[in-house]
Amino acid sequence: MAGSNEVYANESRTVVPLNTRVLIHNFKVSYSMLRRQDGSFDRHLSEYLERKVPANAKPVDGVVSLDLLLDRPTNLLVRIYLPAPAVSGNELPQQALLSALQRPPSPDPFPVIIFFHGGSFAHSSINTTIYDILCRRFVTLCGGAVVISVNYRRSPEFRCPCAYDDGWTALKWASSQPWLRSGEDAKLRVFLAGDSSGGNIAHHVAVRAAESGIHISGNILLNPLFGGNGRTESELELDGKYFVALDDRDWYWKAFLPEGADRDHPACNPFGPNGVKLDELPFPKSLLVVASLDLTKDWQLAYAEGLRKAGHEVNVIFRDQATVGFYFLPNTNHYYEVMEEIRSFVNSNC
Amino acid sequence: MVDSSYGQESSANKSISTSPEIDGLLAGVGYAIRPSDLPHVAERLEKLDSAIIAAAAAGLPPEFLCSDAVHYNPSDLAAWVDSMSMLTSLSSPPIHPAPAPWPVQIYAPAPLSTPTVDLLAPEDAGINLVHLLMSCADSIHRDDHPSASKLIHEMQILLPRVGTAFGIGKVAAYFIDALDRRLRPRPSPPAEDEILYHYFYESSPYLRFAHLTANQAILESFNGLDRVHVIDLNLKHGLQWPALIQALALRPGGPPFIRLTGFGPPEICEVGRRLADFARSVKVPFAFTRLDEIQPNLLRVEPGETVAVNSVLQLHQFLSDPGSPGPIDSVLSWVKALRPRIVTVVEQEADHNRPGFLDRFTEALFYYSTVFDSLESAAAGAGPEVYLQKEICNIVCCDGEERVERHEPLASWRARFGRAGLWPVPHGSSAFRQASMLLTLSSGEGYSIEEVEGCLTLSWHGRAVISASAWHCGDGVDAPPLAGNIFFNGYSGSDRRE
């Protein structure tokens, strides 16, 4: 608890490269300026401070991107990343891009990754630079995947289940697009992926997909955000030590969950007392990445346990001495080895 | 222990070229910081964090958490952290005394326009129309007029199927017409310039954003000064100035003496008279002068006067074909010679000055389809479209001196101002907040404002449309102060707190 005036020594000094430390710590400090005690959020300052990058039809390291409006009433934008299409003759890159979106299913299978960025449901957007970089990485990592980054509505302005609804809308849209289908059977080979709150969203969209008969090839959850009313050992032990404090976790849940709900709400605690039974559903295989220095790791491990008990396959990648956000900068073993696990998971389930 | 076997991998996003002195990985995610500054910044962040925790424990937010604190250039992490530390009076002095032109910059070359969101509506006819438009432009680019004419004819047949009431059909209609006019020039119908301008002003936030952000920067730069001279490079209908005059009237300590020099045709004397009447009504000492064109010998700057130069959607008219000399360099020299405290510039965020016709056409097609899409949300009617049509026709039909709509993106302007010896003055978070609130109160969903290296950009669905920047001339003239404790109530009339 942050009840004492004791200054926590920053233990991350010894385990995190200096530039990562500065990056994540900067997020922590600036985010604390945005959360107000009455539950409101300084959205203007948040947008001002975030670093953003536009979509680009010109290939950058072989990847192009474009923003697409899926739903006008909710302003649901997605950013689509794909391998730069071949340009024929005097064609401009934009023409090639437009043509790519009109093409029929490809005979060669390729994965489609629907990605939900993190930010504890309140921060970041599809054009936030850290996430733009990550999505571009996924395209080339998975041998030419199409990545669809979803600009879901954020709290506190929009509470649960708006983000889940937006994820569902994106999935349904992807299912309707011939150009996203591939292989002999012209199938949509779709993975749901996300970090932090994005991981939580991926889970809930996967549940909806399983209930509706849309096949998901796999879930990729990076430090997904789960919680509960109880305090776990890791929460108490790691509170405030590696960029994350329980106080802020509580704030974000309060801002996201329906008014009056507590953290045993199934959105937060899917295998808790109010959880939905997944036993009979065709829930996808999961790749779950847990960082040992993430204070929510016990909830993530409990999530894995919940999946197993319901008869669903989950591969837990437990990274010892990794903190939150290790996947933002390519400067540790954690980064490279986890990327390889993701690549392998996508390839074998595509 | 940290595995240190991984050196600095080059940034995954190679569209960003960075100076070698900054951390490449952090540059890739939008932050410019020297490796040598990392330990200092890390330490400062730790102290700030502790201060926040301690304050929270005492039930108080620390000073820098209050919404009055103004932030500048978040990409310059070292300076930002220092400014936050100064606000909390943490012991050691800052390493980067503000305001400095920040030493390192992240230059991301302008991205290639992507098709606007609306092009990808389900009906294929819309996309086919775009393909035809680009083929036609390509034919013109290769001087193959017979093919171009044929394609125009084809498009005119396809157009009713797509529909011109909204969406891609509507903007396509204007571009097909422009292509036709290029092949077969004919006089345009006379247009009521002032009325169209007012339609555009009212139906979309672009001009109001331009005026608000420029005025905020000018207001802040005039803080504490008694004699000020605003030079408007294109006065037009003077819509920008009543709000500034009013804000200066209300400032604590009373208004300064304001001189306004407006460039434009004789008709603007009437605008000047109206502004003088208004200034009188709010008891602001005011004088107006009209000038025809930029001639150094005609402009009078009085001793003791502080100068602000303002240019909204107009500086691009001094550009010429890339590579050939144009008036812009001498204009910028003239501006710099005035030793202005601030130069406010608002420009279309578009790449319409490319030498190749096909490139230019494609950029314009996607840019204006975004702008038209945003107007649709305001149910604006034809007025603002006709206002924009003039720009479209100029870009598509004209060449040489006749082509005046030579929009270039912020990255190009930044380089040009740098060469002219003008340094950026960052728009702070207070200007950002004001502009953001303007949007929330008066415009459709889908607009957003972004901060990019001190400049503010107004975007529609993620596509930048217009950008606002501010500059000062360095050498000897004090840069405007960082602290913005003057708030500009703009057009919303809202209180400065949300």
Side-chain angles (χ1 to χ4, degrees), chain A residues 64 104 119 123 172 228 243:
Chain A
V64 296
H123 298 278
K172 279 190 301 180
F243 312 118

Side-chain angles (χ1 to χ4, degrees), chain B residues 284-366:
Chain B
V284 171
F286 177 88
F288 174 77
T289 312
R290 179 189 86 84
L291 284 181
D292 252 331
E293 27 179 287
I294 292 177
Q295 283 176 345
N297 47 324
L298 288 182
L299 183 76
R300 224 173 62 244
V301 175
E302 306 288 339
E305 243 179 18
T306 302
V307 172
V309 178
N310 180 82
S311 164
V312 171
L313 301 183
Q314 190 259 337
L315 214 56
H316 54 260
Q317 307 204 352
F318 297 115
L319 295 176
S320 55
D321 288 329
S324 59
I328 186 66
D329 291 323
S330 52
V331 168
L332 291 180
S333 298
W334 172 82
V335 168
K336 191 168 160 157
L338 296 172
R339 297 163 67 71
R341 187 157 165 89
I342 196 155
V343 181
T344 46
V345 176
V346 181
E347 280 288 319
Q348 289 91 338
E349 189 59 20
D351 209 354
H352 297 154
N353 200 23
R354 292 165 165 237
F357 179 76
L358 178 57
D359 283 343
R360 205 161 64 235
F361 180 87
T362 308
E363 287 289 315
L365 176 62
F366 295 146

Side-chain angles (χ1 to χ4, degrees), chain A residues 112-346:
Chain A
V112 175
I113 302 175
I114 298 183
F115 179 77
F116 302 98
H117 65 78
S120 308
F121 298 106
H123 298 278
S124 294
S125 314
I126 57 177
N127 59 356
T128 302
T129 317
I130 44 173
Y131 288 114
D132 185 82
I133 295 261
L134 188 59
C135 288
R136 285 171 173 276
R137 184 81 189 202
F138 286 150
V139 172
T140 36
L141 180 75
C142 301
V146 173
V147 177
I148 299 168
S149 185
V150 181
N151 206 40
Y152 58 86
R153 281 168 291 170
R154 297 168 300 187
S155 54
E157 297 93 326
F158 297 98
R159 292 176 178 270
C160 163
C162 292
Y164 304 155
D165 291 342
D166 291 346
W168 177 238
T169 303
L171 178 58
K172 279 190 301 180
W173 172 82
S175 309
S176 74
Q177 299 294 301
W179 68 280
L180 288 176
R181 291 170 179 269
S182 61
E184 279 177 10
D185 43 359
K187 219 172 58 139
L188 176 70
R189 294 150 198 282
V190 64
F191 294 79
L192 299 177
D195 72 309
S196 165
S197 49
N200 176 291
I201 297 170
H203 164 81
H204 288 286
V205 174
V207 171
R208 241 186 256 198
E211 287 167 348
S212 316
I214 295 186
H215 172 75
I216 306 289
S217 302
N219 271 7
I220 301 164
L221 308 191
L222 281 170
N223 303 356
L225 199 56
F226 294 115
N229 281 349
R231 295 300 195 199
T232 66
E233 201 183 303
S234 64
E235 281 174 316
L236 296 171
E237 189 204 315
L238 296 171
D239 184 13
K241 289 188 183 159
Y242 294 97
F243 312 118
V244 186
L246 270 181
D247 278 349
D248 56 71
R249 296 297 97 204
D250 291 349
W251 190 97
Y252 290 116
W253 283 121
K254 197 142 177 270
F256 173 70
L257 295 169
E259 305 257 14
D262 63 22
R263 289 189 304 274
D264 278 340
H265 185 282
C268 177
N269 196 355
F271 292 111
N274 304 310
V276 162
K277 285 230 162 298
L278 296 187
D279 299 56
E280 304 300 313
L281 290 177
F283 194 80
K285 290 187 206 179
S286 300
L287 181 73
L288 174 64
V289 179
V290 181
S292 78
L293 301 177
D294 179 352
L295 64 77
T296 63
K297 70 173 171 186
D298 286 347
W299 290 112
Q300 291 155 5
L301 294 169
Y303 171 78
E305 197 44 39
L307 283 178
R308 283 190 202 106
K309 285 210 181 97
H312 299 303
E313 206 180 307
V314 52
N315 181 7
V316 177
I317 311 294
F318 189 85
R319 299 302 307 186
D320 194 41
Q321 298 293 289
T323 63
V324 296
F326 69 83
Y327 43 83
F328 289 141
L329 300 183
N331 57 4
T332 56
N333 278 339
H334 301 302
Y335 180 95
Y336 288 100
E337 289 169 19
V338 166
M339 286 297 159
E340 176 52 34
E341 295 281 359
I342 293 173
R343 190 199 62 78
S344 171
F345 180 76
V346 169

Side-chain angles (χ1 to χ4, degrees), chain A residues 13 51 61 75 95 333 336, chain B residues 3 9 12 46 445 451:
Chain A
R13 269 181 231 142
R51 308 295 77 211
D61 290 341
N75 266 315
Q95 284 173 289
N333 278 339
Y336 288 100
Chain B
D3 184 327
E9 191 184 85
E46 242 175 82
E445 301 278 334
E451 185 279 344

